[in-house]
Amino acid sequence: MRDYKHIEVTPITGILGAEIAGVDLTQTVSDAALMEIEQAFGDHAVIVFRDQAMGFEDQKRFTRMFGEFGFEPYVKTMPDHPEIIEVIKEASESGMLNFGGNWHSDWSFQEAPPRATILHAKDIPPYGGDTAFANMYAAYETLSQGMRDMLDGLNVVHSARRPYGTEAKLFGREKRAMTIINSEEAHAEQVHPAVRTVPETGRKALFINPVYAIRFENMTERESRPLLDFLNTHATRIELTCRVRWQVNTLVMWDNRCVQHNAMNDYDGFRRQLHRTTVAGERPYLAERGGNGGMARSPAEAAAG
Ligand code: SIN
């Protein structure tokens, strides 16, 4: 265990997540405490702060401690706060899908997907509504050497078309508390390496998810499906996960580059409301590939030497 002097860090499971105490996020955080928070974030990838009675400006200040704001493409942001999404499901929305209710990494279809997501809880059901997280470093590290070597050389096509495309049925046509923006743009495709390096830790993480990763580059969806299904099931095995039980004023930050998450939809008849910001990230790369931003070379490029 690391020796922290400015914060207290208690791991949630042996594989992922930590609760952090001893810091008040409604106040300016000292550089020394911030360095330790960054350290804990690198080590645990999901960090949880309890009893933080933060307003919009506090959450924005906290977000900016880690980088620029990310861009929110397909969900209407708060009218006076274009950096904040209100993640909300009303008690009256019983039996309906929830936002984020499947394993995913936020906006992985972007050219430079967000480094981190920050959620602050405003209204929490008396039971249910937890968020589960899966460790994608561990997902990669627990594969065989042969599988890892193969994945190191593959790229994956990501797209937002399933949840946000013109035919998408995420929220259907019903009136919902959140406004989803379905669009033609969501059909665009973005290619990322199947395995990425997280710059601060130097570790390799599997970078796929069942919502946005639709196929391997240069393969059909049908050809890709068996391996993607295997990897998605492997990556979210219970021993590679942790689960956060929310309370009002809990703040959670997770690293989208090495973590997937899944919002549980088990609180019918109750309201759940959180405020979400994202921290901009870098274009995914695999360090050992070098050159072209860490992308695998196409067969034609490889043949050309
Ligand atoms: C999300 O996917 O960002 C939402 C997670 C949650 O509501 O727990």
Side-chain angles (χ1 to χ4, degrees):
M1 288 277 281
R2 259 178 224 285
D3 185 22
Y4 290 98
K5 296 197 167 43
H6 304 276
I7 57 174
E8 293 150 39
V9 179
T10 310
I12 297 174
T13 69
I15 200 85
L16 185 63
E19 299 246 354
I20 298 198
V23 61
D24 178 357
L25 302 181
T26 66
Q27 306 297 317
T28 303
V29 174
S30 69
D31 288 349
L34 176 58
M35 273 178 61
E36 292 195 350
I37 292 171
E38 282 274 16
Q39 190 66 64
F41 188 58
D43 287 350
H44 300 282
V46 178
I47 51 177
V48 180
F49 302 81
R50 302 288 184 186
D51 303 317
Q52 304 289 338
M54 296 163 76
F56 296 120
E57 297 310 321
D58 297 322
Q59 183 164 349
K60 286 192 221 176
R61 188 181 57 249
F62 180 81
T63 307
R64 292 285 286 109
M65 284 168 27
F66 301 93
E68 302 287 330
F69 291 111
F71 172 62
E72 307 301 336
Y74 301 120
V75 182
K76 199 161 166 212
T77 55
M78 298 192 76
D80 297 328
H81 304 281
E83 311 86 355
I84 301 180
I85 288 176
E86 191 160 51
V87 176
I88 181 164
K89 185 164 176 262
E90 296 291 354
S92 58
E93 295 178 85
S94 287
M96 298 182 185
L97 292 178
N98 64 330
F99 179 71
N102 196 354
W103 287 107
H104 66 289
S105 168
D106 286 330
W107 306 154
S108 71
F109 51 83
Q110 291 182 330
E111 185 178 348
R115 172 189 183 197
T117 301
I118 295 163
L119 262 188
H120 184 246
K122 299 288 174 189
D123 196 2
I124 291 301
Y127 55 80
D130 296 359
T131 306
F133 297 92
N135 184 331
M136 302 297 279
Y137 291 133
Y140 179 74
E141 288 160 7
T142 51
L143 291 167
S144 65
Q145 187 64 54
M147 179 63 91
R148 279 183 278 162
D149 289 346
M150 182 180 74
L151 290 171
D152 284 356
L154 293 180
N155 292 322
V156 175
V157 177
H158 294 243
S159 169
R161 77 169 145 76
R162 288 183 190 145
Y164 301 114
T166 46
E167 307 298 314
K169 294 188 180 63
L170 177 61
F171 276 7
R173 300 271 170 255
E174 295 126 313
K175 178 108 183 75
R176 303 291 303 267
M178 292 180 74
T179 304
I180 297 295
I181 304 158
N182 292 96
S183 104
E184 199 64 58
E185 272 171 43
H187 294 252
E189 296 188 342
Q190 183 67 54
V191 179
H192 293 312
V195 179
R196 70 184 293 184
T197 305
V198 174
E200 294 82 14
T201 62
R203 291 176 72 187
K204 287 159 72 167
L206 185 62
F207 193 59
I208 55 148
N209 65 82
V211 174
Y212 303 126
I214 56 177
R215 61 186 163 81
F216 291 100
E217 189 183 38
N218 303 325
M219 294 187 205
T220 64
E221 286 188 37
R222 198 159 150 254
E223 287 167 339
S224 306
R225 172 77 25 230
L227 182 53
L228 284 176
D229 282 350
F230 163 75
L231 292 171
N232 285 321
T233 304
H234 167 79
T236 56
R237 277 159 38 194
I238 193 147
E239 62 270 30
L240 305 185
T241 68
C242 76
R243 187 164 164 148
V244 172
R245 171 82 195 119
W246 294 94
Q247 297 158 352
V248 171
N249 288 329
T250 297
L251 180 134
V252 179
M253 176 163 90
W254 65 86
D255 191 331
N256 281 300
R257 301 166 303 179
C258 57
V259 170
Q260 287 193 56
H261 60 285
N262 187 346
M264 302 291 116
N265 193 11
D266 55 354
Y267 53 95
D268 264 5
F270 296 104
R271 183 171 195 272
R272 182 178 183 271
Q273 177 199 17
L274 307 96
H275 289 159
R276 186 181 111 154
T277 46
T278 54
V279 180
E282 71 283 350
R283 193 178 176 156
Y285 66 95
L286 180 56
E288 66 208 38
R289 283 189 197 163
N292 54 353
M295 299 291 290
R297 295 194 301 168
S298 70
E301 284 168 329

